[in-house]
Amino acid sequence: MTALATPGLLALDRAAQDLLFRAARTANTFTDEPVTDAQVAAIHDLIRYGPTAYNGQPLRVLLLRSSAARARLLPHLSSSNRAKTAAAPLVAVLAADVDFHERLPELYPHRPQARDWLGDRAARAEQARLNATLQIGYLLVGVRAAGLAAGPMAGFDAAGVTREFFPDGRHETLLVMNVGHPGPDAWRARLPRLSTEDVVRTL
Amino acid sequence: MTALATPGLLALDRAAQDLLFRAARTANTFTDEPVTDAQVAAIHDLIRYGPTAYNGQPLRVLLLRSSAARARLLPHLSSSNRAKTAAAPLVAVLAADVDFHERLPELYPHRPQARDWLGDRAARAEQARLNATLQIGYLLVGVRAAGLAAGPMAGFDAAGVTREFFPDGRHETLLVMNVGHPGPDAWRARLPRLSTEDVVRTL
């Protein structure tokens, strides 16, 4: 890895680098060990400090713990995602609250008029999606910070999940994420990553 | 903080929690100390392991180092973001490569047909935005892991920046981020965060 050639450039120690990124993997199987509400609260208490535009914090998390709730989700997942989601200790539906701006007078108190800048729903929904997705990035790091593995899934019918779980019309589903301790054969070999030269250009 | 009532629930040690989230802040001023290409490479080498759908890694990073390049950006920023961006040691334009699927045969080799599943440009652009934004979440954590402060900015004309810097038509600009060591009065008091009860519901 390139970092071996550049020691000392990261302030984060190697154990934490491994926990959060280098050794962490997306899990496709999990043990039966539960993920408790206290763990979820500890993860949220960590990652809620991550920045969002206007401090708007649009991410909303719906935990599906009951088998009845889980059963409502499964038909909206791609067939390859159903069995592992049915068996995961915890399933989180991650959505953006498009009406996050209603709380800006409290969350962004030095500029309470920010609520009114976000009056246009389409522009606000774009901001909600962008910032809630940033927060999902923080959340995935937070799940790993708790010693757990995440299994984020793109293969699902987002509009269907939104209709099923957020009939209020103010939320947009972004991702479904399984969470737990990795089980047997939880992942395949690490897939290739792009190089810095592939990703970063300089002007 | 809630976590004080729940010791031991996070595997990540307290110093790393502080570095990445609890003590880290969005910076609005920076010192003159440069951010080197070696630091950028070390950050990317860490965060490139973060997961993306189909391992597609659509995030592209354009570093504006020359004053000529910086000058092309400033008119597209909101007036309140111009002075701090002109003075930041490093400015990164963060964009999604909508044609990320072209590399899937190499990045997702066990299912090379994934490239063809993403033939529809509009659906692919949505995936590119979602996954590149997740990667920006990882990147912000990575900037902090390098002991640096990030200053992500929402206040800019994304379409204008895309026209200016990505005339190829295959990129969409998502965020502009200043990076450096925090300068004098780099931030105001921490803004309030939503509670777990505000954000997490259970079914």
Side-chain angles (χ1 to χ4, degrees), chain A residues 1-4 6 9-13 16-22 24 26 36-66 69 72 80 103 106-111 126-127 129-131 133-134 136-142 144-147 152 154-155 158 165-166 174-175 188 190-203, chain B residues 1-4 6 9-13 16-22 24 26 36-66 69 72 80 103 106-111 126-127 129-131 133-134 136-142 144-147 152 154-155 158 165-166 174-175 188 190-203:
Chain A
M1 281 178 284
T2 310
L4 296 179
T6 54
L9 285 175
L10 296 181
L12 189 70
D13 66 63
Q17 293 177 34
D18 287 346
L19 179 70
L20 302 181
F21 288 105
R22 295 188 198 279
T26 292
T36 67
D37 286 340
Q39 286 175 297
V40 172
I43 293 166
H44 179 256
D45 180 72
L46 178 69
I47 65 100
R48 67 185 182 141
Y49 295 103
T52 53
Y54 312 109
N55 193 37
Q57 307 168 62
L59 177 65
R60 299 296 179 268
V61 178
L62 183 62
L63 303 179
L64 305 184
R65 288 201 177 275
S66 71
R72 289 167 57 196
S80 61
R103 297 196 65 167
E106 166 199 352
L107 299 176
Y108 206 59
H110 56 296
R111 283 194 194 157
E126 191 177 323
Q127 282 294 308
R129 283 190 295 268
L130 177 75
N131 286 283
T133 306
L134 282 179
I136 296 173
Y138 311 149
L139 176 65
L140 190 133
V141 172
R144 293 171 167 188
F165 292 103
F166 302 103
L174 296 167
L175 214 66
R188 61 174 69 88
R190 174 78 87 183
L191 292 168
R193 293 303 195 269
L194 295 174
S195 69
T196 302
E197 292 68 31
D198 285 325
V199 172
V200 180
R201 285 192 304 131
T202 301
L203 287 181
Chain B
M1 282 179 282
T2 308
L4 297 179
T6 53
L9 286 174
L10 296 181
L12 189 70
D13 66 63
Q17 293 177 35
D18 287 345
L19 179 70
L20 302 181
F21 288 106
R22 296 187 197 281
T26 292
T36 66
D37 286 339
Q39 284 176 298
V40 172
I43 293 166
H44 179 256
D45 180 72
L46 178 69
I47 65 101
R48 68 186 181 140
Y49 295 104
T52 52
Y54 312 109
N55 192 37
Q57 309 168 60
L59 178 65
R60 299 295 179 268
V61 177
L62 183 62
L63 303 179
L64 305 184
R65 289 202 177 274
S66 70
R72 289 167 57 195
S80 62
R103 296 197 64 168
E106 165 199 352
L107 299 177
Y108 206 58
H110 55 296
R111 282 193 195 158
E126 191 177 323
Q127 283 294 308
R129 283 190 295 269
L130 177 75
N131 286 284
T133 306
L134 282 179
I136 296 173
Y138 311 149
L139 176 65
L140 189 133
V141 171
R144 292 170 168 190
F165 292 104
F166 303 103
L174 296 168
L175 215 66
R188 62 174 68 89
R190 173 77 87 180
L191 291 168
R193 292 305 196 268
L194 295 174
S195 68
T196 302
E197 294 67 31
D198 285 325
V199 171
V200 181
R201 285 192 305 131
T202 302
L203 286 181

Side-chain angles (χ1 to χ4, degrees), chain B residues 175-194:
Chain B
L175 215 66
V176 177
M177 189 185 284
N178 296 326
V179 180
H181 291 271
D185 299 318
W187 42 69
R188 62 174 68 89
R190 173 77 87 180
L191 291 168
R193 292 305 196 268
L194 295 174

